[in-house]
Amino acid sequence: MTLIAPTSPFLIDLCHGLRPDFQWGAATSAAQIEGASATDGKGPSIWDRFCADPGRINDGSNIDIACDHYNRFESDVALIAGLGLDAYRFSIAWPRVQPTGEGPWNEAGFAFYDRLIDALLEAGIRPHVTLYHWDLPLALHLRIGGWTSPGIVPLFADYAREVAHRFGDRVASIATLNEPWCVATLGYETAQFAPGQTSRATAALVSHHLMMAHGAAIKAMRGVCKTPLGVVLNHTPAFAAEPLEADRRAARIDDGLNVRWYMDPIFRGSYPADILEYLGADAPTVVPEDLALIQQPLDFLGVNFYTRNFISTQQPPKVAPGKQGFTDMGWEIYPEALTQHLVRISREYSPPPIFITENGMANADHVVGGRVPDQERIHYLSEHLAAMARAVDLGVDVRGYFYWSLFDNFEWNSGYTKRFGLFHVDYATQTRLAKDSAHWYRNFIADFKSRRTQPLAR
Ligand code: FCB
């Protein structure tokens, strides 16, 4: 298929409504890029253990080295700066700074993030920190059952307070959790992610503990820093495959499980009644104090958007049309859902300012003559920037956009088989190579900043 990206002037024109201080960035997470999994006192995480379990990771790989970012962060920051990015979103590995998830802090671990934050600031890049991007200290999982135990709530708040105390004055934002839906559902119900459990009731309990830990962490951090605080949620809107009552109902449940189960307690102080009913005996026991803890005022909402869910109840199920194709993950490319969804959540929840904290595609990239011609990614990126800009025109307050991901990296249970990066990584040599999409993104940002708006031939 030939994919033609809108020209940059067209897109720049479409982005006229974005704030002049709009932040352009890229995102990563600790477990996916750092490597150094047992270096300088880092404790193991549930992902170190999960990788060691045969059959869990598609290519049998692990995160011992990943992109070796721990040892290469200085040159990596130079690559970020070279793209002209304003902002960089990364996560702190909890077991690097507190090896067992409770008790003593690991100063060598904090020193790494200290150096990273300094390097970013020196390069003029705003650091956006996420506290939990899935690498739970293994010791906490083994001792108390990790997220299945309410005992994790005060421990996560202690960790959050310490990070806020140490780095709050230098970072641009702190998000508590990344995608709690993935943590709970993929980790405890479908076993695709660590720790690999298979109980719907456990997953529902975990999701409630995640929400409580989020609230407790926000409260703890408010006491020690003035940094903007928020949370990063999955936003995969559900579409009924056909105008059938059964499809509509199923789509509503899917939306409830993915979106409303997390947005409602945070912004409305309640769990959605239809999902409580759907879960029945598997629903967690919730008391009013829990909901009051969860509903903390936030300074921003992080929206991760990749695709839509296409819900069919027919046999065989209807498959998504994929008019713009599918990514290498098999995810349908459907950018208009981003516009619709941003408008919807703004109307329904009146959230604080939004950051698109992740958006990107896996593509079967190849190095060809020293280049990576990833036209598909340029198309995906430009279509989603256009979709975001349309939402802004419709009144949604979006303050920044982070492409997922800066580098090709460890894509969880897919191992190293899926490439999401702006930079291609040759894992044998750790060579980073800017893909065509990285050059495109750099040029786009430069054009946006110089507000080049040549007359358009439409
Ligand atoms: C998101 C995760 C991120 C990455 C992308 C592809 O769900 O937050 O770590 O794996 O998907």
Side-chain angles (χ1 to χ4, degrees):
M1 187 189 341
T2 320
L3 298 165
I4 301 162
T7 59
S8 192
F10 175 79
L11 192 57
I12 296 295
D13 190 49
L14 212 59
C15 289
H16 72 276
L18 302 191
R19 298 158 60 98
D21 62 351
F22 191 88
Q23 296 183 47
W24 298 104
T28 64
S29 87
Q32 293 175 276
I33 65 163
E34 283 181 2
S37 60
T39 304
D40 294 338
K42 178 183 170 290
S45 80
I46 54 173
W47 274 93
D48 291 295
R49 159 97 165 240
F50 196 65
C51 292
D53 208 356
R56 296 291 200 180
I57 310 297
N58 291 352
D59 59 0
S61 62
N62 62 44
I63 52 175
D64 290 357
I65 299 173
C67 299
D68 196 31
H69 172 70
Y70 188 79
N71 295 307
R72 294 166 194 264
F73 77 92
E74 280 165 320
S75 46
D76 287 345
V77 169
L79 294 178
I80 301 170
L83 292 182
L85 299 187
D86 307 297
Y88 173 58
R89 173 175 177 244
F90 64 96
S91 75
I92 291 181
W94 186 357
R96 194 178 289 294
V97 300
Q98 194 181 31
T100 59
E102 54 195 327
W105 305 110
N106 178 28
E107 291 306 325
F110 272 121
F112 167 69
Y113 296 108
D114 204 52
R115 292 194 299 271
L116 174 61
I117 291 168
D118 275 350
L120 289 165
L121 291 174
E122 269 162 40
I125 300 156
R126 292 187 221 188
H128 290 260
V129 170
T130 300
L131 294 174
Y132 188 74
H133 202 128
W134 309 353
D135 41 1
L136 183 73
L138 178 62
L140 267 192
H141 175 71
L142 298 177
R143 194 179 76 76
I144 63 169
W147 291 109
T148 67
S149 163
I152 198 162
V153 174
L155 295 174
F156 186 68
D158 286 347
Y159 158 55
R161 186 185 302 103
E162 188 66 18
V163 170
H165 166 66
R166 289 181 186 240
F167 300 139
D169 58 340
R170 283 184 290 156
V171 301
S173 78
I174 303 179
T176 53
L177 307 172
N178 179 72
E179 298 189 350
W181 177 85
C182 288
V183 177
T185 305
L186 305 183
Y188 295 83
E189 185 174 344
T190 67
Q192 287 156 281
F193 284 7
Q197 297 185 10
T198 52
S199 154
R200 187 174 81 157
T202 305
L205 184 64
V206 160
S207 68
H208 183 50
H209 293 154
L210 283 160
M211 288 292 90
M212 287 172 64
H214 155 76
I218 295 284
K219 234 175 134 174
M221 292 193 286
R222 290 283 182 217
V224 295
C225 73
K226 304 244 173 298
T227 319
L229 304 176
V231 65
V232 173
L233 302 179
N234 294 80
H235 287 268
T236 310
F239 283 62
E242 303 236 36
L244 301 172
E245 190 44 35
D247 284 10
R248 281 209 197 100
R249 232 180 303 131
R252 183 78 189 144
I253 294 293
D254 189 80
D255 174 73
L257 292 166
N258 278 284
V259 178
R260 291 180 286 119
W261 184 256
Y262 299 92
M263 291 289 281
D264 280 19
I266 290 175
F267 295 111
R268 293 181 173 162
S270 60
Y271 282 106
D274 60 337
I275 301 302
L276 286 169
E277 191 190 328
Y278 173 79
L279 290 174
D282 287 345
T285 305
V286 178
V287 296
E289 296 76 50
D290 296 350
L291 293 165
L293 178 64
I294 296 168
Q295 198 187 8
Q296 299 294 318
L298 299 181
D299 305 310
F300 71 95
L301 169 66
V303 168
N304 289 359
F305 177 91
Y306 288 92
T307 184
R308 66 168 173 170
N309 286 338
F310 193 73
I311 308 294
S312 171
T313 55
Q314 297 186 65
Q315 283 313 326
K318 288 254 169 201
V319 292
K323 287 195 182 124
Q324 298 215 34
F326 296 85
T327 74
D328 203 30
M329 298 296 283
W331 298 347
E332 189 191 16
I333 301 173
Y334 198 79
E336 51 267 55
L338 176 59
T339 312
Q340 287 174 29
H341 190 72
L342 288 172
V343 169
R344 171 211 164 183
I345 58 172
S346 294
R347 289 199 181 134
E348 289 184 8
Y349 293 95
S350 305
I354 289 173
F355 284 83
I356 306 298
T357 32
E358 288 181 28
N359 172 242
M361 82 178 288
N363 191 44
D365 297 322
H366 296 287
V367 181
V368 184
R371 266 182 55 206
V372 180
D374 59 339
Q375 190 59 32
E376 299 84 354
R377 185 171 286 102
I378 295 173
H379 176 77
Y380 182 98
L381 183 49
S382 55
E383 287 289 308
H384 284 81
L385 294 181
M388 174 184 76
R390 287 191 185 101
V392 170
D393 279 348
L394 292 167
V396 182
D397 185 2
V398 185
R399 304 278 174 102
Y401 172 92
F402 294 83
Y403 179 78
W404 182 274
S405 180
L406 180 64
F407 299 131
D408 291 342
N409 58 39
F410 176 79
E411 177 47 36
W412 309 112
N413 59 336
S414 302
Y416 298 96
T417 63
K418 302 295 177 196
R419 294 183 177 272
F420 274 90
L422 292 169
F423 285 90
H424 180 275
V425 176
D426 175 342
Y427 295 107
T429 61
Q430 289 297 340
T431 306
R432 280 89 159 117
L433 175 63
K435 299 178 189 176
D436 284 3
S437 57
H439 296 295
W440 183 91
Y441 193 34
R442 187 197 55 220
N443 292 343
F444 165 77
I445 295 167
D447 285 354
F448 174 85
K449 289 192 173 163
S450 65
R451 284 287 192 271
R452 249 189 263 152
T453 46
Q454 299 100 328
L456 296 171
R458 279 187 183 151

